[in-house]
Amino acid sequence: MKRPCNNLILYSKIMIFLMLFLCVNSQLTQNFYSKTCPNLLKIVRKEVQSAIKNEMRMAASLLRLHFHDCFVNGCDASLLLDGNSNTSEKFTPANLNSARGYEVIDNIKTAVENACSGVVSCADILAIAARDSVLLSGGPFWKVLLGRRDGLAANFSGSSNALPAPFDPLNTIISKFEAVGLNLTDVVSLSGAHTIGLARCTSFDSRLRNFNGTNSPDTTLDTTLVSELQNLCPSTSDGNNTTPLDRNSTDLFDNHYFKNLINGRGVLESDQILFSSDDAMTTTKTLVEIYSNNSMVFLDDFVNSMIKMGNISPLTGSDGEIRTNCRVVN
């Protein structure tokens, strides 16, 4: 006689759980600022367009800021906080002398504040700027979910450990993605962001001469590309020279990055291992082949992965704050 009651209680608990789950996942919405800052998207687009017109590389830099922010503390703009070399995420190995575009975000924030003061978070500005950077590079459009709030502190140790590095083995990269709720498809599709942007010699010169103590270049790297990169990055250089990550179409957001991997022309070790690593034979290699043959599949998966990444642990409701200046807490 008690079973119906027990079943009803169980059913009620399940429904409460589902309602809470849906509530949490519906806190970010496409029209979050439709009344409080109706011209937001136009303002951000104008500023991003101006920045890219001034320097095409900035598209990749703004996209990377969003990526490096979301992997640490979630998408809360903690990366933008200034500080000293022991506190600010800007000084960690993944970001120091590498992450850039902070001044562009400052300009966007100023323009947004002039239109609607104290309303739009820096975290949301990063998400919109990343989308616009892809779109203005010839890539896909997607509707950005909004409603994030800004974090109150940076996470130096998290930034030092959570972000994938150019020298990480494939299993480590996959583990870092899984730690923030992203899967194997997300690993490969988001790596495709390297279809735009540049890499400094310091991020790949270990592949050019004495790779893993072999006294020879990385054998997965095309020999012609080895020669070109050795000339660009002599052993006596300071490591600051740059080369396009996608030498087929430097500034165009397309699937040539994956064609490069198949031909051994992935500049970063972390790119090439998606296709050439022994660990990739039954995992990422298949996706690389699919994306190289079908740009629409890549672009669709990239959009889905960007939306997932933008949903990593956002602060919403009364958590965090809306920073007036993206570089400091209020």
Side-chain angles (χ1 to χ4, degrees):
M1 295 297 293
K2 294 182 179 180
R3 285 183 181 178
C5 183
N6 289 339
N7 289 340
L8 181 60
I9 293 173
L10 178 61
Y11 175 78
S12 299
K13 289 181 177 179
I14 292 173
M15 291 302 296
I16 291 172
F17 171 79
L18 289 173
M19 290 175 65
L20 289 172
F21 178 83
L22 291 172
C23 180
V24 168
N25 283 273
S26 63
Q27 288 177 327
L28 300 185
T29 63
Q30 296 175 8
N31 59 353
F32 189 83
Y33 298 107
S34 60
K35 294 182 178 179
T36 55
C37 195
N39 293 320
L40 171 63
L41 298 180
K42 291 181 180 179
I43 295 169
V44 176
R45 177 75 55 83
K46 180 180 178 181
E47 294 296 326
V48 172
Q49 197 163 20
S50 175
I52 294 175
K53 183 178 180 181
N54 183 58
E55 182 195 8
M56 194 64 196
R57 180 189 178 190
M58 189 53 66
S61 298
L62 294 176
L63 175 57
R64 190 161 179 256
L65 284 182
H66 183 44
F67 180 97
H68 280 219
D69 177 50
C70 289
F71 264 65
V72 182
N73 283 4
C75 307
D76 68 343
S78 60
L79 171 59
L80 302 181
L81 290 170
D82 284 341
N84 61 44
S85 58
N86 295 316
T87 60
S88 174
E89 294 172 26
K90 295 178 179 179
F91 289 95
T92 59
N95 295 320
L96 183 63
N97 298 320
S98 178
R100 55 197 300 277
Y102 301 116
E103 296 80 7
V104 175
I105 299 300
D106 291 339
N107 293 340
I108 298 173
K109 180 62 172 175
T110 298
V112 170
E113 285 293 306
N114 288 339
C116 31
S117 179
V119 172
V120 181
S121 68
C122 300
D124 277 346
I125 287 175
L126 280 176
I128 301 168
R131 188 276 308 279
D132 286 353
S133 294
V134 171
L135 181 66
L136 294 171
S137 299
F141 171 86
W142 66 94
K143 293 184 177 180
V144 180
L145 297 179
L146 301 168
R148 302 168 189 80
R149 288 168 64 85
D150 298 321
L152 302 175
N155 185 346
F156 182 88
S157 61
S159 182
S160 299
N161 300 312
L163 288 165
F167 320 105
D168 280 343
L170 181 58
N171 287 337
T172 299
I173 293 173
I174 292 172
S175 295
K176 289 181 177 180
F177 272 70
E178 289 177 341
V180 292
L182 300 178
N183 60 29
L184 201 65
T185 299
D186 303 318
V187 171
V188 184
S189 64
L190 290 175
S191 295
H194 286 172
T195 185
I196 57 175
L198 307 177
R200 294 163 62 234
C201 291
T202 52
S203 63
F204 59 82
D205 59 7
S206 62
R207 306 182 68 197
L208 303 181
R209 296 173 181 85
N210 184 26
F211 182 65
N212 290 341
T214 60
N215 292 318
S216 300
D218 184 349
T219 57
T220 66
L221 190 58
D222 174 69
T223 54
T224 301
L225 184 57
V226 168
S227 298
E228 293 174 6
L229 295 179
Q230 285 176 340
N231 290 331
L232 176 71
C233 311
S235 57
T236 56
S237 74
D238 62 5
N240 287 321
N241 288 343
T242 59
T243 189
L245 285 162
D246 179 354
R247 298 166 74 87
N248 291 54
S249 56
T250 304
D251 298 320
L252 181 62
F253 200 98
D254 56 24
N255 68 334
H256 282 154
Y257 162 86
F258 298 103
K259 298 179 186 293
N260 289 339
L261 301 189
I262 291 175
N263 293 317
R265 296 180 66 83
V267 174
L268 301 181
E269 183 183 351
S270 57
D271 288 331
Q272 192 59 50
I273 60 174
L274 297 176
F275 183 78
S276 300
S277 169
D278 290 339
D279 294 327
M281 291 302 101
T282 58
T283 54
T284 57
K285 182 177 181 179
T286 300
L287 284 169
V288 169
E289 291 172 334
I290 291 172
Y291 293 160
S292 70
N293 290 318
N294 193 323
S295 62
M296 291 307 299
V297 174
F298 160 55
L299 296 176
D300 286 346
D301 282 356
F302 178 81
V303 165
N304 290 333
S305 294
M306 284 295 294
I307 293 171
K308 284 179 64 178
M309 187 184 76
N311 277 323
I312 297 175
S313 304
L315 297 174
T316 58
S318 60
D319 292 335
E321 65 180 12
I322 304 298
R323 283 186 222 144
T324 303
N325 180 341
C326 292
R327 293 175 179 265
V328 295
V329 297
N330 296 340

Short mmCIF file of all heavy atoms in Angstrom, two decimals, residues 51-88:
data_model
loop_
_atom_site.label_atom_id
_atom_site.label_comp_id
_atom_site.label_asym_id
_atom_site.label_seq_id
_atom_site.Cartn_x
_atom_site.Cartn_y
_atom_site.Cartn_z
N ALA A 51 39.00 47.10 -34.48
CA ALA A 51 40.26 46.50 -34.01
C ALA A 51 40.86 45.57 -35.04
O ALA A 51 42.08 45.56 -35.27
CB ALA A 51 40.01 45.75 -32.70
N ILE A 52 40.02 44.77 -35.70
CA ILE A 52 40.50 43.83 -36.71
C ILE A 52 40.96 44.57 -37.96
O ILE A 52 41.95 44.16 -38.59
CB ILE A 52 39.40 42.80 -37.05
CG1 ILE A 52 39.12 41.92 -35.83
CG2 ILE A 52 39.80 41.94 -38.24
CD1 ILE A 52 37.97 40.96 -36.04
N LYS A 53 40.29 45.65 -38.30
CA LYS A 53 40.71 46.46 -39.44
C LYS A 53 42.10 47.03 -39.19
O LYS A 53 42.93 47.13 -40.10
CB LYS A 53 39.70 47.59 -39.68
CG LYS A 53 40.02 48.43 -40.90
CD LYS A 53 38.95 49.49 -41.13
CE LYS A 53 39.27 50.35 -42.35
NZ LYS A 53 38.23 51.39 -42.56
N ASN A 54 42.38 47.39 -37.95
CA ASN A 54 43.68 47.93 -37.58
C ASN A 54 44.75 46.85 -37.56
O ASN A 54 45.92 47.09 -37.91
CB ASN A 54 43.59 48.60 -36.20
CG ASN A 54 44.90 49.24 -35.78
OD1 ASN A 54 45.42 50.11 -36.48
ND2 ASN A 54 45.42 48.81 -34.65
N GLU A 55 44.37 45.62 -37.14
CA GLU A 55 45.31 44.49 -37.06
C GLU A 55 44.52 43.20 -37.18
O GLU A 55 43.83 42.80 -36.25
CB GLU A 55 46.08 44.51 -35.75
CG GLU A 55 47.10 43.39 -35.65
CD GLU A 55 47.62 43.18 -34.22
OE1 GLU A 55 47.07 43.80 -33.29
OE2 GLU A 55 48.57 42.41 -34.06
N MET A 56 44.64 42.52 -38.30
CA MET A 56 43.84 41.33 -38.54
C MET A 56 44.09 40.25 -37.50
O MET A 56 43.19 39.48 -37.15
CB MET A 56 44.14 40.79 -39.95
CG MET A 56 43.12 39.77 -40.42
SD MET A 56 41.48 40.49 -40.60
CE MET A 56 40.45 39.04 -40.69
N ARG A 57 45.29 40.18 -36.98
CA ARG A 57 45.63 39.17 -35.98
C ARG A 57 44.76 39.28 -34.73
O ARG A 57 44.59 38.30 -33.99
CB ARG A 57 47.11 39.31 -35.60
CG ARG A 57 47.60 38.31 -34.57
CD ARG A 57 49.00 38.66 -34.09
NE ARG A 57 49.48 37.74 -33.07
CZ ARG A 57 50.59 37.94 -32.36
NH1 ARG A 57 51.32 39.02 -32.57
NH2 ARG A 57 50.96 37.07 -31.44
N MET A 58 44.19 40.47 -34.50
CA MET A 58 43.43 40.69 -33.28
C MET A 58 42.21 39.76 -33.19
O MET A 58 41.74 39.45 -32.09
CB MET A 58 42.98 42.15 -33.19
CG MET A 58 42.38 42.54 -31.86
SD MET A 58 43.44 42.15 -30.43
CE MET A 58 44.82 43.27 -30.72
N ALA A 59 41.70 39.31 -34.33
CA ALA A 59 40.56 38.38 -34.29
C ALA A 59 40.91 37.14 -33.51
O ALA A 59 40.16 36.69 -32.62
CB ALA A 59 40.13 38.02 -35.72
N ALA A 60 42.07 36.55 -33.81
CA ALA A 60 42.51 35.35 -33.09
C ALA A 60 42.80 35.66 -31.63
O ALA A 60 42.52 34.85 -30.74
CB ALA A 60 43.75 34.77 -33.76
N SER A 61 43.32 36.84 -31.36
CA SER A 61 43.67 37.21 -29.98
C SER A 61 42.43 37.34 -29.11
O SER A 61 42.41 36.90 -27.96
CB SER A 61 44.47 38.52 -29.98
OG SER A 61 45.68 38.38 -30.69
N LEU A 62 41.38 37.95 -29.65
CA LEU A 62 40.14 38.11 -28.88
C LEU A 62 39.46 36.77 -28.66
O LEU A 62 38.90 36.50 -27.58
CB LEU A 62 39.20 39.08 -29.60
CG LEU A 62 39.69 40.53 -29.70
CD1 LEU A 62 38.70 41.36 -30.51
CD2 LEU A 62 39.88 41.14 -28.32
N LEU A 63 39.49 35.91 -29.66
CA LEU A 63 38.93 34.56 -29.52
C LEU A 63 39.68 33.80 -28.43
O LEU A 63 39.07 33.12 -27.60
CB LEU A 63 39.02 33.83 -30.85
CG LEU A 63 38.59 32.36 -30.91
CD1 LEU A 63 37.16 32.18 -30.43
CD2 LEU A 63 38.74 31.82 -32.33
N ARG A 64 40.98 33.95 -28.41
CA ARG A 64 41.81 33.25 -27.43
C ARG A 64 41.56 33.75 -26.02
O ARG A 64 41.61 32.97 -25.05
CB ARG A 64 43.28 33.43 -27.81
CG ARG A 64 44.26 32.56 -27.04
CD ARG A 64 45.58 32.48 -27.78
NE ARG A 64 46.56 31.67 -27.08
CZ ARG A 64 47.57 32.18 -26.40
NH1 ARG A 64 47.74 33.49 -26.33
NH2 ARG A 64 48.43 31.39 -25.79
N LEU A 65 41.29 35.04 -25.86
CA LEU A 65 41.00 35.57 -24.52
C LEU A 65 39.79 34.88 -23.91
O LEU A 65 39.78 34.54 -22.72
CB LEU A 65 40.76 37.09 -24.59
CG LEU A 65 41.97 38.00 -24.74
CD1 LEU A 65 41.53 39.46 -24.74
CD2 LEU A 65 42.99 37.76 -23.62
N HIS A 66 38.76 34.70 -24.71
CA HIS A 66 37.55 34.02 -24.22
C HIS A 66 37.87 32.59 -23.81
O HIS A 66 37.43 32.12 -22.75
CB HIS A 66 36.49 34.05 -25.32
CG HIS A 66 35.17 33.47 -24.94
ND1 HIS A 66 34.54 33.71 -23.73
CD2 HIS A 66 34.33 32.63 -25.63
CE1 HIS A 66 33.39 33.07 -23.69
NE2 HIS A 66 33.25 32.40 -24.82
N PHE A 67 38.65 31.90 -24.63
CA PHE A 67 39.05 30.52 -24.35
C PHE A 67 39.84 30.45 -23.05
O PHE A 67 39.54 29.63 -22.16
CB PHE A 67 39.89 30.01 -25.53
CG PHE A 67 40.37 28.59 -25.40
CD1 PHE A 67 39.68 27.54 -26.00
CD2 PHE A 67 41.53 28.29 -24.69
CE1 PHE A 67 40.12 26.24 -25.89
CE2 PHE A 67 41.98 26.99 -24.58
CZ PHE A 67 41.27 25.97 -25.19
N HIS A 68 40.85 31.31 -22.92
CA HIS A 68 41.72 31.27 -21.73
C HIS A 68 41.00 31.73 -20.47
O HIS A 68 41.39 31.37 -19.36
CB HIS A 68 42.97 32.11 -21.97
CG HIS A 68 44.01 31.39 -22.78
ND1 HIS A 68 45.36 31.49 -22.53
CD2 HIS A 68 43.90 30.54 -23.83
CE1 HIS A 68 46.04 30.75 -23.40
NE2 HIS A 68 45.16 30.15 -24.20
N ASP A 69 39.96 32.52 -20.64
CA ASP A 69 39.17 32.92 -19.49
C ASP A 69 38.29 31.78 -18.99
O ASP A 69 38.25 31.46 -17.81
CB ASP A 69 38.31 34.13 -19.83
CG ASP A 69 37.40 34.54 -18.69
OD1 ASP A 69 37.91 34.67 -17.56
OD2 ASP A 69 36.18 34.71 -18.91
N CYS A 70 37.57 31.14 -19.93
CA CYS A 70 36.58 30.14 -19.54
C CYS A 70 37.20 28.89 -18.90
O CYS A 70 36.55 28.23 -18.09
CB CYS A 70 35.74 29.75 -20.75
SG CYS A 70 34.59 31.04 -21.29
N PHE A 71 38.43 28.56 -19.25
CA PHE A 71 39.06 27.36 -18.70
C PHE A 71 39.52 27.55 -17.25
O PHE A 71 39.91 26.60 -16.60
CB PHE A 71 40.26 26.96 -19.57
CG PHE A 71 39.94 25.90 -20.58
CD1 PHE A 71 39.05 26.17 -21.63
CD2 PHE A 71 40.49 24.63 -20.51
CE1 PHE A 71 38.74 25.21 -22.57
CE2 PHE A 71 40.18 23.65 -21.44
CZ PHE A 71 39.30 23.94 -22.47
N VAL A 72 39.47 28.79 -16.76
CA VAL A 72 39.93 29.09 -15.40
C VAL A 72 38.81 29.81 -14.65
O VAL A 72 38.42 30.91 -15.03
CB VAL A 72 41.20 29.96 -15.42
CG1 VAL A 72 41.69 30.21 -14.00
CG2 VAL A 72 42.29 29.33 -16.27
N ASN A 73 38.26 29.19 -13.63
CA ASN A 73 37.15 29.77 -12.85
C ASN A 73 35.85 29.84 -13.63
O ASN A 73 34.89 30.44 -13.17
CB ASN A 73 37.49 31.20 -12.38
CG ASN A 73 38.43 31.23 -11.21
OD1 ASN A 73 38.92 30.21 -10.76
ND2 ASN A 73 38.71 32.43 -10.72
N GLY A 74 35.80 29.28 -14.83
CA GLY A 74 34.64 29.47 -15.67
C GLY A 74 34.70 30.81 -16.37
O GLY A 74 35.66 31.57 -16.21
N CYS A 75 33.68 31.13 -17.15
CA CYS A 75 33.68 32.36 -17.96
C CYS A 75 33.29 33.56 -17.10
O CYS A 75 32.13 34.01 -17.10
CB CYS A 75 32.71 32.21 -19.14
SG CYS A 75 33.00 30.74 -20.14
N ASP A 76 34.26 34.09 -16.37
CA ASP A 76 33.98 35.16 -15.41
C ASP A 76 34.88 36.37 -15.57
O ASP A 76 34.92 37.25 -14.70
CB ASP A 76 34.11 34.63 -13.98
CG ASP A 76 35.55 34.28 -13.61
OD1 ASP A 76 36.39 34.14 -14.52
OD2 ASP A 76 35.84 34.16 -12.40
N ALA A 77 35.63 36.43 -16.68
CA ALA A 77 36.53 37.55 -16.97
C ALA A 77 37.65 37.69 -15.94
O ALA A 77 38.24 38.77 -15.80
CB ALA A 77 35.75 38.87 -17.09
N SER A 78 37.97 36.62 -15.23
CA SER A 78 39.07 36.68 -14.27
C SER A 78 40.40 36.95 -14.95
O SER A 78 41.30 37.54 -14.36
CB SER A 78 39.14 35.39 -13.45
OG SER A 78 39.34 34.26 -14.29
N LEU A 79 40.53 36.54 -16.20
CA LEU A 79 41.77 36.77 -16.95
C LEU A 79 42.05 38.26 -17.12
O LEU A 79 43.21 38.66 -17.23
CB LEU A 79 41.66 36.09 -18.33
CG LEU A 79 42.76 36.37 -19.35
CD1 LEU A 79 44.12 35.94 -18.81
CD2 LEU A 79 42.48 35.67 -20.67
N LEU A 80 41.04 39.08 -17.13
CA LEU A 80 41.21 40.50 -17.42
C LEU A 80 41.70 41.30 -16.22
O LEU A 80 42.12 42.45 -16.37
CB LEU A 80 39.89 41.11 -17.91
CG LEU A 80 39.27 40.46 -19.15
CD1 LEU A 80 37.98 41.17 -19.52
CD2 LEU A 80 40.24 40.48 -20.32
N LEU A 81 41.68 40.70 -15.04
CA LEU A 81 42.07 41.43 -13.83
C LEU A 81 43.56 41.68 -13.79
O LEU A 81 44.37 40.76 -13.96
CB LEU A 81 41.64 40.65 -12.58
CG LEU A 81 40.13 40.59 -12.31
CD1 LEU A 81 39.82 39.59 -11.20
CD2 LEU A 81 39.60 41.98 -11.94
N ASP A 82 43.94 42.93 -13.57
CA ASP A 82 45.34 43.28 -13.38
C ASP A 82 45.80 42.80 -12.01
O ASP A 82 44.99 42.50 -11.13
CB ASP A 82 45.55 44.79 -13.50
CG ASP A 82 45.52 45.27 -14.93
OD1 ASP A 82 45.71 44.44 -15.85
OD2 ASP A 82 45.31 46.48 -15.14
N GLY A 83 47.10 42.76 -11.82
CA GLY A 83 47.67 42.34 -10.55
C GLY A 83 49.16 42.13 -10.70
O GLY A 83 49.75 42.46 -11.73
N ASN A 84 49.77 41.55 -9.68
CA ASN A 84 51.21 41.32 -9.76
C ASN A 84 51.50 39.94 -10.34
O ASN A 84 50.60 39.18 -10.66
CB ASN A 84 51.87 41.50 -8.38
CG ASN A 84 51.33 40.53 -7.35
OD1 ASN A 84 51.16 39.34 -7.61
ND2 ASN A 84 51.04 41.03 -6.14
N SER A 85 52.77 39.62 -10.43
CA SER A 85 53.20 38.38 -11.09
C SER A 85 52.86 37.13 -10.31
O SER A 85 53.08 36.02 -10.79
CB SER A 85 54.72 38.42 -11.35
OG SER A 85 55.43 38.59 -10.13
N ASN A 86 52.32 37.29 -9.11
CA ASN A 86 51.93 36.13 -8.31
C ASN A 86 50.41 35.97 -8.19
O ASN A 86 49.94 35.00 -7.61
CB ASN A 86 52.52 36.22 -6.89
CG ASN A 86 54.03 36.16 -6.90
OD1 ASN A 86 54.63 35.35 -7.59
ND2 ASN A 86 54.67 37.05 -6.13
N THR A 87 49.68 36.94 -8.73
CA THR A 87 48.23 36.89 -8.56
C THR A 87 47.45 36.94 -9.87
O THR A 87 46.44 36.27 -10.03
CB THR A 87 47.75 38.05 -7.67
OG1 THR A 87 48.11 39.30 -8.28
CG2 THR A 87 48.38 37.96 -6.28
N SER A 88 47.91 37.75 -10.81
CA SER A 88 47.15 37.94 -12.05
C SER A 88 47.36 36.78 -13.02
O SER A 88 48.47 36.31 -13.22
CB SER A 88 47.58 39.24 -12.73
OG SER A 88 46.96 39.37 -14.00
#
